[in-house]
Amino acid sequence: MTKAAIAPIIVWFRKDLRLADNRALAAAASEASVIPLYIREPMESGNGPLGAAQLWWLHHSIKALSDRLEKQGARLTLRSGEPLDVISALARETGATTIYWNRRYDPSGIATDTALKKGLSDQGLTAESFSGQLLHEPMRLQTTTGGPYRVFTPFWRALESKIGPVAPIDAPEQIAAPKSWPQSDRLDDWSLLPKRPDWAATFTEIWTPGEKGAADRLEDFIDGKVADYKRDRDRPAVDGTSLLSPHLALGEISPAQAWHATERLQGDGVATFRKELAWREFSYHLLFHYPQLPQRNLDRRFDAFPWMNADDAFVRWTRGLTGFPIVDAGMRQLWRHGYMHNRVRMIVASFLIKDLLVDWRKGEAWFRDTLVDADPANNAASWQWVAGCGADAAPFFRVFNPVLQGEKFDPEGAYVKRFVPELQRLSPRYIHRPFEAPEAALEAAGIRLGSTYPEPMVDHAVARDRALAAFRKIKGSAEEQ
Ligand code: FAD
């Protein structure tokens, strides 16, 4: 019997918008004809709520997936609604009795999957899920006492010793078509693109969503940048990191593909890169075991933290108008490219939380809306890490000094100048502290503080003392980096 003669299998794509290393797709393609499906789920369901920047990415990623499937003779069906309703209806229409998908590990994704599996089996349908979003299954990796890890290093050791054998698989050579293709929504009707198209227009300066864009990024990294990654990854002016995060976030590439691309390489760069991939795993491990991670302090003592949450301060931070050049450059890079360098993410997050005393959850939400790589696990775990209330977190009393951080990691001010053009002509000596520049230096650079570029919105030394006093209300002692 040909594959087309057997009942087709529905493959539900979610955060795995790729053909290679896609175990659900590979299994289906080896057994029967395939109906690839993407569901626009309601906001509260498994895929959402995605922020505006990531919806832009999703639009282009779905388009790329659809084009790629078409080259293989397959068609991506787009439907909107509750997954159980959509899949049940599609199964009835097409005669499919089996549904495959790759697992997600965020709380709403898990809840959707659990309910779906039961709902489908109640209807006599077969539902099977596969792994592919992570290198490890969070339920399997446990400490010696049987609980989840809360400290990175032992987690990393356990992960490293267990993941060696998991090799990525190729895209299916053939995907057999069903007897007929179901009707599909039109992608454009989903209105995923932002209402202000000029905002996202600058994203394309650096991004190409889709599986090919992801593969090109990986190749570029492995062929060059990885060798100096350990040194360059902390330099925001240098194009020294993989830029894989938005591709990983929607699964256009799997972590196994990224990991295995480094397999025949050696050196500090590779070791550090693998460790960063492991931080992603650690974040998912935390989210899986602490599903409230995006909403609730892991360290519950922070529930009593006296946040100020001043709206005007928050707005100035979002717009990159704080008067601290490294913070402003980061926030404007975020607006321009839907991305921010990791070092600068730490600096701007510390500034919001500790200099402005704004609750980390407000920063997390802003990042979620504006990052193309917004990720429920990495974002929440990283914000909690900076705030000092997360697992294995930087202590709260370690307050980043935005001037010293800028001078250390962007010594020439090249990063600042790229995103804060009004400081373009200021000398490296003052680029991170324009408020200390003599009048003549400012005038020569065409800067009028308070007019062409803001005065600093806080005195960092005073703000730091205020933060530490607030912190002492929930615990003790101080130190500065
Ligand atoms: P590379 O340096 O090339 O690293 C490779 C991959 O490892 C990344 O793509 C990412 O998947 C993972 N990774 C790297 N650093 C971390 C980290 N600290 N924690 C977890 N995983 C990591 N990352 C996101 O993917 N989505 C987010 O929403 C996100 N929010 C963040 C918020 C804050 C406040 C901070 C401090 C960090 C956040 N990160 C987030 C982590 C990190 O900044 C990005 O993963 C990284 O900058 C992406 O660039 P890259 O792909 O070139 O990274």
Side-chain angles (χ1 to χ4, degrees):
M1 205 160 31
T2 63
K3 282 182 186 165
I6 309 170
I9 296 178
I10 296 173
V11 174
W12 179 25
F13 284 86
R14 293 116 56 90
K15 289 199 170 172
D16 52 357
L17 304 180
R18 61 179 184 271
L19 302 198
D21 200 28
N22 186 327
R23 286 174 198 274
L25 177 65
S30 70
E31 292 166 26
S33 61
V34 176
I35 298 175
L37 169 69
Y38 186 89
I39 303 175
R40 175 104 168 100
E41 296 171 62
M43 287 293 269
E44 69 280 4
S45 179
N47 256 359
L50 298 189
Q54 207 164 35
L55 286 173
W56 171 88
W57 191 288
L58 180 66
H59 174 97
H60 294 288
S61 191
I62 290 175
K63 174 89 179 61
L65 177 68
S66 168
D67 291 349
R68 225 175 148 89
L69 282 165
E70 266 188 34
K71 284 201 186 110
Q72 299 253 31
R75 271 191 219 164
L76 183 63
T77 298
L78 304 180
R79 295 274 171 104
S80 308
E82 288 291 349
L84 180 58
D85 299 341
V86 170
I87 293 173
S88 310
L90 191 62
R92 278 194 302 276
E93 285 167 39
T94 59
T97 53
T98 305
I99 298 91
Y100 288 165
W101 67 79
N102 294 308
R103 281 188 282 285
R104 294 178 295 203
Y105 301 90
D106 53 292
S108 55
I110 293 168
T112 305
D113 283 14
T114 311
L116 185 68
K117 266 197 180 157
K118 181 173 182 319
L120 293 176
S121 78
D122 286 350
Q123 294 171 36
L125 299 168
T126 304
E128 196 177 333
S129 67
F130 298 77
S131 63
Q133 201 193 356
L134 297 179
L135 294 169
H136 81 298
E137 292 292 300
M139 51 291 237
R140 296 226 182 98
L141 214 51
Q142 292 183 335
T143 62
T144 44
T145 54
Y149 287 91
R150 283 183 72 132
V151 180
F152 176 73
T153 305
F155 170 82
W156 161 237
R157 277 197 220 105
L159 180 72
E160 216 185 5
S161 62
K162 290 198 176 132
I163 59 170
V166 186
I169 56 172
D170 290 336
E173 273 174 25
Q174 281 188 326
I175 301 175
K179 285 196 196 102
S180 64
W181 289 107
Q183 163 278 324
S184 168
D185 291 356
R186 283 186 43 209
L187 179 58
D188 287 340
D189 293 342
W190 281 3
S191 304
L192 300 177
L193 295 174
K195 299 210 165 44
R196 280 185 48 189
D198 57 320
W199 169 43
T202 46
F203 292 0
T204 52
E205 287 173 0
I206 60 164
W207 299 119
T208 309
E211 189 171 6
K212 168 133 185 5
D216 290 348
R217 277 280 192 236
L218 181 61
E219 195 182 320
D220 180 49
F221 182 68
I222 295 300
D223 288 352
K225 298 193 248 178
V226 71
D228 296 321
Y229 175 73
K230 186 165 196 269
R231 184 193 68 203
D232 289 348
R233 65 178 291 272
D234 256 332
R235 299 274 156 147
V238 177
D239 176 17
T241 67
S242 71
L243 297 176
L244 281 173
S245 52
H247 301 288
L248 283 164
L250 289 184
E252 297 168 351
I253 192 165
S254 71
Q257 288 174 290
W259 181 282
H260 281 268
T262 66
E263 211 162 44
R264 279 180 297 279
L265 305 175
Q266 294 200 326
D268 283 355
V270 171
T272 311
F273 178 64
R274 287 183 170 185
K275 224 170 192 171
E276 293 311 320
L277 290 176
W279 272 101
R280 177 177 184 270
E281 299 290 317
F282 186 51
S283 302
Y284 269 97
H285 189 79
L286 291 173
L287 182 63
F288 181 82
H289 291 286
Y290 305 100
Q292 298 289 321
L293 189 74
Q295 292 92 31
R296 198 157 75 189
N297 302 305
L298 266 189
D299 179 343
R300 298 304 300 274
R301 283 172 297 184
F302 276 78
D303 292 357
F305 193 89
W307 301 110
M308 282 174 53
N309 286 334
D311 284 345
D312 54 337
F314 179 70
V315 169
R316 277 183 74 169
W317 176 82
T318 61
R319 299 209 173 139
L321 294 173
T322 66
F324 289 92
I326 192 78
V327 175
D328 294 342
M331 298 310 294
R332 296 191 206 179
Q333 180 184 26
L334 177 58
W335 193 251
R336 185 173 182 93
H337 290 152
Y339 176 84
M340 194 192 303
H341 188 277
N342 179 60
R343 166 60 48 183
V344 191
R345 291 186 202 205
M346 291 194 276
I347 300 170
V348 304
S350 175
F351 187 81
L352 183 74
I353 296 166
K354 298 176 188 180
D355 286 64
L356 303 182
L357 292 182
V358 172
D359 191 329
W360 63 266
R361 282 162 281 222
K362 287 193 81 173
E364 192 271 348
W366 180 256
F367 268 31
R368 198 170 352 114
D369 201 26
T370 54
L371 277 172
V372 289
D373 68 18
D375 181 284
N378 281 358
N379 201 29
S382 300
W383 276 94
Q384 292 226 30
W385 185 88
V386 177
C389 54
D392 208 359
F396 184 89
F397 58 72
R398 233 174 246 166
V399 179
F400 273 13
N401 179 323
V403 173
L404 299 183
Q405 287 282 315
E407 289 175 343
K408 183 168 177 191
F409 295 106
D410 184 32
E412 299 301 315
Y415 175 76
V416 163
K417 289 180 180 185
R418 193 177 309 153
F419 294 105
V420 187
E422 61 268 40
L423 299 179
Q424 192 68 246
R425 293 194 282 135
L426 195 58
S427 79
R429 184 163 174 202
Y430 298 113
I431 190 79
H432 292 290
R433 46 178 92 222
F435 43 87
E436 287 177 11
E439 205 44 55
L442 290 174
E443 205 171 304
I447 300 165
R448 265 177 294 119
L449 281 187
S451 165
T452 61
Y453 183 71
E455 301 267 11
M457 60 188 291
V458 289
D459 176 330
H460 174 68
V462 174
R464 174 177 177 272
D465 287 347
R466 184 177 64 179
L468 294 176
F471 178 60
R472 270 194 294 275
K473 290 190 181 150
I474 58 167
K475 25 180 167 172
S477 87
E479 168 187 323
E480 179 159 30
Q481 282 204 334

